[in-house]
Structures are given as C-alpha cells and as structure tokens.
C-alpha cells in the first residue's frame, strides 16, 4: 500500500474521461488499496481514480456518518458525583463503504437539493451544488461481481460527485457558488 499524490484542480488530467476497467487485476487491486489509504489520510469521504492520476473508472466512497461527528457526543464533562455515569452505548453506525468499478447511475430522483461540497482536488474551497436527492447506481465490486447501491443524502452526493470525476467534471463546474474555507479551519499541516 502506498499513498498517492492527489491531482489538483488545474491539472488537465481531471478534465478527461476515464476509461472502463476491463480486467480487475493486481494493478487495479493495488490502485484501490492506495486510493483508500490516500482518501483516509486526507480525511476524504470519496475519491475517484483520476484524482490520483489514473484515468480508469474506479471510485472509493466511505460515507459512514459517525454519531460523534454530528454533535459533541455525550456532552457534560464528569461532575464529581458519586456515580460516574456509564458512557451511553453508542449505536454502531451503519458502515457505508463501497468500491465501485465502472459505476453507472441507473435511476435519479427528480427532486433535488442544494448542499455544500468539497473535493480533495480543490483544497481549501467549498461550494453549493444542486443534485438529485436520490440515485441508484450499478457497478462492479472489487471481486468483479455486479451490485446496486441506492443512495440518499450524503451517499447520493458522494456517488454523483465521484461519477462526475470519471467524466472530467468538477463540482466547481456546476456549483452555484464557490467560496474559500475560513482560515480558522486549521486541519492542514
Ligand atoms: C466528495 O469530497 C463529496 O477541502 C468527496 O480541506 C463532497 O472527500 C461527497 C476534503 C461532498 C459528498 C459530499 C476537502 C477534505 C474532502 C477539503 C471529499 C479539505 C479536506 C472532500
Ligand atoms: Co472530488
């Protein structure tokens, strides 16, 4: 496994159409391993192969929404009470993790919503993007078996955002507005 370099916005590679995978071989398996590593290292929730400079129709997504992320989990710091409250058992989040090879949208909703998006290839920016609220995608898994995934909310956005990358489209092309992230967000090194 290895980290790969993330290709940035101005690189013409991101504007090209990626080609179908015809054979899921060791090269593709290594690519997928490296994409997971690269995505997690950069705190992304989705990554498409062209973002690491490989023009193949391969996407990884981890849109798992951890309860802690949404709100300060638990809340109050332990008061000096006699009985320390046992930690509330957190429900296990549903793991929303997919490798998609040659993904195709086979159904999209008419209903759309405008929501915030970012992209590892466009660091330090975000934009408001209108997308269908629901999509059904057919793809091959890393084992070569076809499967379907239905996405709503974050997963739907991630699926459409990543499939756009395979067509050479960036969210900044279709965003209603793009703005700089506040500089107080200091998760860079
Ligand atoms: C695509 O985007 C996406 O600028 C994945 O400083 C976007 O993983 C799916 C990221 C919106 C669903 C909704 C961007 C991390 C990650 C940054 C990403 C940054 C740190 C973006
Ligand atoms: Co992106």
């Amino acid at each position: 496994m290895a980290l790969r370099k993330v290709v940035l916005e101005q690189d013409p590679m991101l504007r090209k159409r990626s080609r179908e995978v015809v054979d899921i071989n060791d090269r593709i398996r290594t690519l997928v391993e490296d994409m997971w590593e690269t995505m997690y290292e950069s705190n992304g929730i989705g990554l498409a192969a062209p973002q690491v400079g490989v023009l193949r129709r391969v996407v990884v997504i981890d849109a798992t929404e951890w309860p802690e992320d949404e709100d300060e989990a638990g809340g109050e710091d332990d008061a000096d009470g006699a009985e320390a409250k046992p930690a509330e058992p957190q429900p296990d989040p549903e793991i929303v993790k997919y490798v998609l090879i040659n993904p195709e949208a086979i159904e999209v909703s008419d209903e759309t919503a405008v929501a915030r998006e970012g992209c590892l290839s466009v660091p330090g920016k975000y934009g408001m993007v209108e997308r269908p609220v629901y999509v059904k995608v057919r793809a091959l898994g890393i084992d070569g078996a076809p499967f379907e995934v239905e996405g709503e909310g974050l997963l739907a956005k991630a699926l459409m955002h990543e499939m756009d990358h395979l067509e050479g489209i960036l969210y900044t092309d279709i965003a209603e507005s793009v703005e700089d992230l506040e500089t107080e967000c200091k998760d860079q090194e």
Side-chain angles (χ1 to χ4, degrees):
M1 295 234 288
L3 284 176
R4 302 211 186 184
K5 207 168 161 177
V6 176
V7 169
L8 297 181
E9 193 180 9
Q10 47 287 343
D11 194 309
M13 184 147 271
L14 288 177
R15 301 319 193 150
K16 298 191 168 156
R17 183 180 184 277
S18 291
R19 294 160 65 215
E20 263 74 23
V21 172
V22 290
D23 179 23
I24 302 173
N25 53 24
D26 283 347
R27 247 180 118 93
I28 296 293
R29 282 185 283 270
T30 302
L31 169 67
V32 166
E33 291 296 298
D34 292 353
M35 285 170 65
W36 283 126
E37 196 178 336
T38 304
M39 185 187 85
Y40 286 128
E41 170 72 19
S42 354
N43 300 312
I45 61 167
L47 193 67
Q51 292 182 276
V52 294
V54 177
L55 292 176
R56 288 288 177 177
R57 303 181 82 78
V58 176
V59 162
V60 297
I61 290 174
D62 186 343
T64 302
E65 292 182 81
W66 298 86
E68 302 81 6
D69 292 350
E70 279 152 35
D71 205 350
E72 291 267 307
E76 60 236 64
D77 283 11
D78 54 320
D80 53 332
E83 47 183 290
K85 277 187 220 156
E88 292 271 324
Q90 288 285 352
D92 285 336
E94 193 198 339
I95 305 296
V96 185
K97 208 177 139 166
Y98 299 95
V99 176
L100 301 113
I101 295 172
N102 302 338
E104 277 183 89
I106 55 177
E107 219 180 292
V108 295
S109 59
D110 292 329
E111 190 191 340
T112 63
V114 177
R116 189 175 161 126
E117 285 189 23
C119 179
L120 291 176
S121 293
V122 192
K125 290 188 183 170
Y126 70 92
M128 299 304 291
V129 182
E130 180 175 18
R131 303 224 187 241
V133 295
Y134 165 90
V135 64
K136 188 196 274 191
V137 171
R138 181 178 293 151
L140 302 180
I142 192 64
D143 57 359
F147 69 98
E148 286 178 10
V149 50
E150 291 180 282
E152 281 182 274
L154 185 65
L155 177 58
K157 279 186 293 183
L159 286 164
M160 289 179 274
H161 177 112
E162 301 309 334
M163 287 190 294
D164 274 355
H165 276 300
L166 304 181
E167 298 302 316
I169 297 165
L170 296 181
Y171 84 82
T172 49
D173 301 337
I174 58 172
E176 294 180 353
S177 59
V178 180
E179 292 183 52
D180 291 337
L181 278 170
E182 311 77 50
T183 47
E184 71 199 69
C185 169
K186 49 172 182 198
D187 54 355
Q188 252 97 309
E189 45 228 87

